[in-house]
Amino acid sequence: MANQRREAAIVGIHEWPKRVDKDVSSLQIKAASIHRALDDAGLQWSDVDALYDANDGEGGGGLGLSAYLNIRPTVIDTTQVGGSSYEFQAAHAMRDIAAGKANVAVLSYGSKAATQRIPIGTGGRGGGGSWQTNMEVPYGSTLISNYAMVAHRHMHEYGTTSEQLAEISVATRHHAMRNPEAVQAMKDLQFQGVQEISVADVLDSRMIADPLHLLECCMVSDGGGALVITSADVARGTKKPPVWLIGSGEATKYRTNDGDITVSAGAQSAPIAFGQAEVTPAEIDIAMIYDSFTITVAVCLEDLGFCKKGEVGDYVSGGRLRFDAEGGPALNTDGGGLSSNHPGMRGLFLLLESVRQLRGESTSQVPDAKLAVAHGNGGLLGGSHTGGTVILAAE
Amino acid sequence: MPNRPMPEFPELDTQPFWDAAKRRELAYQTCSDCNEVVFYPRAHCTKCGSLDTTWHTSSGAGTVYTYSVVRQNRSPHFADLGAYAVAYVDLDEGFRMLTNVVGVDNPTTDVQVGMRVQVEFEDQEGGEYPIPVFRPA
Ligand SMILES: [Zn+2]
């Protein structure tokens, strides 16, 4: 780690506390979250010189959001690659700051997926007319069934079981029950039983798309947040210890005629990120991995190098992913998309909880946490998707 | 009769595939320069970039690569179907397509990874294109 470069750091964060919130718009969530994240850092609205936005929802994007906020940035990035957009944007902010193009970068997200009752996982696929949709819309493959096809193939090739995948839901629920905002989220979204769950509870829950059960699927919530990334010079004067961005990697993957569906884009993005950071998966304390479904975490744990391809079933058994377990890493210590929030694109929250852990502010704090990985997966795990990996280090 | 959503046109890459479906043929392309199998349909070779591709008709015989059973789909086109199996099928000629496996009593128990299947063309209530689906061979 001697030569590791520390040129950009996250210095301010805010997570929108409510998961069902009819009294706010998604743009208002973005603006208020930016205000609070800047306040968290001790920076001003007028300090912002770089704006990153996933071009989603009402009036977003570099064109609309700049005007709404009344910020005139010199760097504008509207990368939209699904749920991993924020890992990609953090990587770009690192690069832009290291190149001297910006000093104070802001990423924000706001969504009303719960209030607007958007059926993210169980809606039909979008309208036809493209080279891909024309080959897919007649078959009614929902988003959940696409991920489920990855699970079936993983089970076929490696003997992975639903019991093993359920360990991921059990660990994240354990963390959620320690997070008051996650507990309130589950109450507001009328979860049956806001309590710890067992492997048997997961297997007894309703099958949504074989082999994925209800308790293996993320919720659909409102939510959002913001984070502030600055240069090393600016970070020296902020209110809280900076959390350094020390590595990043980006990748895409998609259906091919002979592709292995059990391997995600993370197999490409993670080695690049770990290489740049000059650390190994064995050194990671906190694994914030996009838990759209249990299978997403399982595949990504393998692809990030925490265990070999095909061995994740044994790897996750015995409660290993809990924040208080030996052998780590601690998985999704905020409760994850499975049990805390999922407004459609969860990538921002992976970074926010990484920062809380590396500051010592998590509700499921790992003592002396030094290194975290945030890995976003956007799109369809069994189809076209993106993987964005970011490695973060405590001061 | 099923009433699946139809492909939408104009869409130049997939038009020949769906024209072939009207003739109850499962069409795919190969590269005239490097012999790569190109699928989904495109105007260029996905291996070498050549713009010279040739259309063929598949035997329609294949193997289930993986599958899922959809229990819940809010789209009205599928709401009345009950549980149905979506699958990736590997055709013997070397291309993989998203499809449905039909003709089984219980998709949860009767569809398996690795099972052999054969294409059939399913007429639709509300559209002009028969849809290629697969049933156990
Ligand atoms: Zn070629």
Side-chain angles (χ1 to χ4, degrees):
Chain A
M1 272 168 69
N3 299 318
Q4 191 184 80
R5 293 169 71 181
R6 297 196 166 193
E7 294 171 310
I10 300 178
V11 298
I13 59 172
H14 178 73
E15 179 169 339
W16 197 256
K18 294 180 73 174
R19 315 298 198 249
V20 179
D21 198 342
K22 64 178 169 51
D23 298 322
V24 67
S25 75
S26 56
L27 263 179
Q28 289 171 333
I29 291 175
K30 287 184 182 181
S33 294
I34 291 170
H35 168 81
R36 290 170 189 161
L38 286 166
D39 189 53
D40 185 51
L43 293 168
Q44 307 295 318
W45 197 259
S46 55
D47 293 329
V48 177
D49 61 5
L51 190 62
Y52 300 76
D53 185 77
N55 219 355
D56 58 308
E58 50 187 294
L63 195 60
L65 190 62
S66 295
Y68 184 74
L69 299 173
N70 190 28
I71 286 173
R72 296 178 67 188
T74 52
V75 171
I76 301 168
D77 182 316
T78 51
T79 299
Q80 165 54 271
V81 287
S84 62
S85 294
Y86 308 94
E87 280 65 44
F88 278 63
Q89 291 173 11
H92 300 172
M94 275 175 76
R95 188 182 63 198
D96 296 338
I97 287 169
K101 292 287 189 182
N103 282 303
V104 179
V106 167
L107 285 63
S108 66
Y109 175 45
S111 166
K112 301 293 300 294
T115 305
Q116 294 169 357
R117 296 191 174 279
I118 299 170
I120 294 169
T122 56
R125 302 282 298 280
S130 85
W131 68 279
Q132 281 186 302
T133 56
N134 267 8
M135 301 301 291
E136 296 176 352
V137 289
Y139 300 112
S141 180
T142 59
L143 182 144
I144 299 178
S145 69
N146 179 280
Y147 282 74
M149 287 199 289
V150 179
H152 256 159
R153 187 70 197 184
H154 204 283
M155 290 173 168
H156 175 81
E157 286 201 30
Y158 304 114
T160 313
T161 65
S162 289
E163 285 81 357
Q164 290 169 332
L165 293 180
E167 294 270 5
I168 291 161
S169 303
V170 172
T172 52
R173 179 63 66 86
H174 180 66
H175 299 152
M177 293 309 297
R178 302 173 54 85
N179 177 357
E181 291 178 9
V183 169
Q184 190 62 47
M186 291 186 281
K187 289 179 181 169
D188 290 347
L189 289 163
Q190 298 172 348
F191 272 43
Q192 286 182 348
V194 180
Q195 59 200 27
E196 300 267 346
I197 54 175
S198 66
V199 168
D201 290 333
V202 177
L203 267 54
D204 288 343
S205 67
R206 183 163 56 94
M207 192 73 86
I208 303 293
D210 302 29
L212 295 179
H213 304 78
L214 176 66
L215 290 178
E216 298 182 78
C217 303
C218 62
M219 64 174 73
V220 178
S221 71
D222 295 345
L227 60 85
V228 182
I229 302 175
T230 70
S231 60
D233 280 349
V234 174
R236 272 189 271 278
T238 52
K239 284 203 283 198
K240 292 189 177 164
V243 170
W244 297 96
L245 300 171
I246 60 171
S248 70
E250 305 172 23
T252 65
K253 190 161 182 291
Y254 38 85
R255 182 209 60 84
T256 53
N257 289 324
D258 57 357
D260 182 348
I261 202 174
T262 68
V263 177
S264 77
Q268 180 183 327
S269 64
I272 298 169
F274 280 108
Q276 182 184 4
E278 300 179 348
V279 300
T280 65
E283 297 175 76
I284 294 289
D285 303 299
I286 310 298
M288 293 299 303
I289 298 178
Y290 201 124
D291 56 340
S292 43
F293 304 95
T294 52
I295 186 62
T296 323
V297 174
V299 162
C300 291
L301 280 169
E302 294 173 340
D303 293 340
L304 267 61
F306 287 103
C307 61
K308 290 201 179 81
K309 181 55 64 184
E311 295 182 358
V312 74
D314 285 337
Y315 182 80
V316 301
S317 294
R320 176 194 197 113
L321 302 173
R322 285 167 52 137
F323 81 106
D324 52 359
E326 294 295 314
L331 174 76
N332 299 351
T333 47
D334 58 343
L338 291 165
S339 289
S340 178
N341 63 2
H342 189 283
M345 297 195 296
R346 186 155 211 282
L348 189 77
F349 307 115
L350 307 176
L351 296 164
L352 296 180
E353 176 66 7
S354 295
V355 170
R356 285 189 290 255
Q357 281 284 355
L358 298 178
R359 283 177 171 182
E361 295 177 351
S362 174
T363 48
S364 292
Q365 183 64 43
V366 172
D368 203 28
K370 288 277 191 292
L371 284 170
V373 60
H375 179 75
N377 188 88
L380 299 172
L381 189 65
S384 296
H385 67 267
T386 55
T389 311
V390 175
I391 316 285
L392 306 94
E395 174 74 344
Chain B
M1 203 185 288
N3 186 23
R4 297 169 181 273
M6 285 284 119
E8 292 180 18
F9 301 98
E11 204 296 299
L12 296 176
D13 284 320
T14 57
Q15 182 77 62
F17 176 89
W18 289 107
D19 287 345
K22 272 193 186 174
R23 304 189 300 268
R24 298 183 180 264
E25 293 173 3
L26 188 66
Y28 70 101
Q29 292 160 284
T30 57
C31 174
S32 305
D33 289 324
C34 78
N35 293 320
E36 176 80 354
V37 177
V38 178
F39 196 85
Y40 302 158
R42 268 156 283 189
H44 68 279
C45 169
T46 47
K47 185 175 184 185
C48 77
S50 168
L51 301 179
D52 188 2
T53 64
T54 308
W55 284 95
H56 310 271
T57 299
S58 166
S59 66
T63 305
V64 173
Y65 175 70
T66 188
Y67 73 103
S68 177
V69 180
V70 178
R71 311 290 187 100
Q72 184 175 334
N73 186 338
R74 296 181 196 278
S75 162
H77 288 285
F78 298 95
D80 297 334
L81 269 188
Y84 59 94
V86 296
Y88 280 126
V89 166
D90 285 340
L91 278 298
D92 290 356
E93 293 85 359
F95 63 98
R96 179 176 297 166
M97 67 179 286
L98 183 72
T99 188
N100 290 155
V101 178
V102 303
V104 294
D105 291 335
N106 180 348
T108 293
T109 55
D110 298 349
V111 178
Q112 299 293 332
V113 174
M115 78 188 285
R116 293 288 291 168
V117 291
Q118 178 67 37
V119 76
E120 70 175 29
F121 288 84
E122 185 189 73
D123 288 319
Q124 304 296 315
E125 185 182 323
E128 60 179 315
Y129 294 99
I131 302 297
V133 296
F134 289 77
R135 83 170 52 228

